[in-house]
Amino acid sequence: MTIGEARPLSSLELERRAFRRRASVRSVLIGVASTIVFAAVAWIAIVNTPGWARVQQSFFDPQTAATALPRIWNGFLLNLQVLVFAVIGVAIVSVLLATMRTLRGPVFFPLRAFAAGYTSLFRGMPLIIVLYLVGFGIPGLRFTQSRIPLELLGTVALILVYSAYVSEVLRAGIEAVHPSQRLAARSLGLSYSKTLRLVVLPQAVRKVTPALMNDFIAMQKDVGLISVLGAVDAVRGAQIETAHFANFTPYVVAGLLFVLLALPMIRLTDWYAARLRRREQIGEVL
């Protein structure tokens, strides 16, 4: 066998691979069949309940859904706009907080104390209370004579809360990077800031990417809470249409829009977590 030529597989290895393929196909077929049976049983049980006709009319009315969709969709676009700016703000603030928490030396104690107090405060306070405090407190200070947009206040509240969570995730990633990486970077002449930016942070983000993606999924849902401030987003639009039609179908429509928004990220998170798990276990399965 020449150099670079692939080594032929043994008959035992071929049998193992064939067995794994058969087992995988059998598992998929069993899973599909059991899912179909379970769904059919659940559907039959639900539609045969005494109140199903009334629930269907109140929550799943197609005509009401079609009529309410335009207003809910316009509000959903506002949710997307708030989400984009909140993600950018959270990324900036959380990196600053994580960096402050990891600073060494007594001279940086005020920064560490501020970051620790910030994360403790906003991780312990419910988001809806922060929305009320920001949404009604900041306008009361009268920084400007003009009216502050409600979506801007909601974005600020989301940034305040989620920065506390994401900064702790990033801090865990930073501390998980082996100290030898820092020492090697400093021995090459990199400054502290360049070591953090070019060596530590990329590795830290890679380690905690699944956790960061889960926080992003949670933010996708919580962005709908800006409706408590009066912003006409998807949830507020659904509330208006529900009051107009005396029907709860608009809430179902708004919920489906948020589910459709979150599904790609949920699937991506699951795929990336499985990919990391396979990379960690490589070489252990023969």
Side-chain angles (χ1 to χ4, degrees):
M1 184 173 59
T2 61
I3 298 176
E5 185 178 343
R7 181 181 178 182
L9 298 175
S10 64
S11 58
L12 180 59
E13 178 62 21
L14 292 175
E15 291 177 3
R16 288 176 177 174
R17 295 190 178 188
F19 174 78
R20 293 193 193 111
R21 284 195 297 268
R22 291 194 299 269
S24 178
V25 172
R26 184 169 58 252
S27 298
V28 171
L29 293 177
I30 293 174
V32 171
S34 61
T35 301
I36 294 175
V37 171
F38 177 80
V41 171
W43 174 255
I44 294 173
I46 291 174
V47 299
N48 287 323
T49 55
W52 166 246
R54 187 171 183 179
V55 169
Q56 185 180 22
Q57 181 182 2
S58 299
F59 288 89
F60 305 103
D61 182 26
Q63 184 177 357
T64 302
T67 307
L69 181 59
R71 183 192 292 270
I72 297 174
W73 176 255
N74 289 334
F76 187 68
L77 294 179
L78 177 62
N79 289 125
L80 292 178
Q81 179 182 350
V82 171
L83 178 64
V84 169
F85 286 102
V87 167
I88 296 173
V90 167
I92 296 173
V93 177
S94 59
V95 169
L96 292 176
L97 289 171
T99 302
M100 286 191 287
R101 287 294 303 270
T102 57
L103 291 174
R104 299 292 183 262
V107 70
F108 296 114
F109 174 77
L111 294 178
R112 292 198 301 270
F114 169 78
Y118 180 97
T119 55
S120 299
L121 175 64
F122 286 105
R123 282 195 300 165
M125 188 175 296
L127 173 58
I128 193 168
I129 294 180
V130 178
L131 281 165
Y132 281 129
L133 294 177
V134 172
F136 302 114
I138 292 181
L141 297 175
R142 298 186 179 182
F143 287 116
T144 62
Q145 297 298 324
S146 59
R147 180 175 175 272
I148 302 176
L150 296 175
E151 55 269 23
L152 175 60
L153 296 171
T155 303
V156 171
L158 285 168
I159 292 173
L160 289 175
V161 172
Y162 272 91
S163 294
Y165 288 100
V166 175
S167 66
E168 285 299 285
V169 174
L170 288 176
R171 182 173 72 92
I174 291 173
E175 293 180 348
V177 177
H178 198 275
S180 62
Q181 299 290 315
R182 296 175 181 266
L183 297 176
R186 298 305 297 271
S187 67
L188 294 174
L190 295 180
S191 63
Y192 178 84
S193 60
K194 286 187 176 181
T195 299
L196 185 65
R197 178 168 54 90
L198 300 176
V199 178
V200 178
L201 276 179
Q203 298 183 61
V205 172
R206 193 180 307 116
K207 290 176 180 293
V208 298
T209 295
L212 293 176
M213 297 168 80
N214 283 325
D215 284 335
F216 178 64
I217 294 171
M219 190 189 300
Q220 287 179 334
K221 297 181 299 181
D222 286 344
V223 75
L225 291 176
I226 65 172
S227 61
V228 301
L229 302 180
V232 186
D233 68 333
V235 178
R236 177 65 69 178
Q239 184 179 20
I240 294 172
E241 295 297 324
T242 296
H244 177 73
F245 292 104
N247 191 289
F248 293 104
T249 302
Y251 281 126
V252 177
V253 174
L256 288 176
L257 289 177
F258 280 103
V259 170
L260 292 176
L261 174 64
L263 273 179
M265 183 56 63
I266 293 174
R267 297 281 75 82
L268 180 61
T269 302
D270 293 342
W271 171 82
Y272 188 77
R275 180 172 177 267
L276 288 180
R277 187 164 55 250
R278 287 194 302 268
R279 291 182 61 182
E280 291 176 355
Q281 296 176 349
I282 191 170
E284 296 180 1
V285 179
L286 299 178

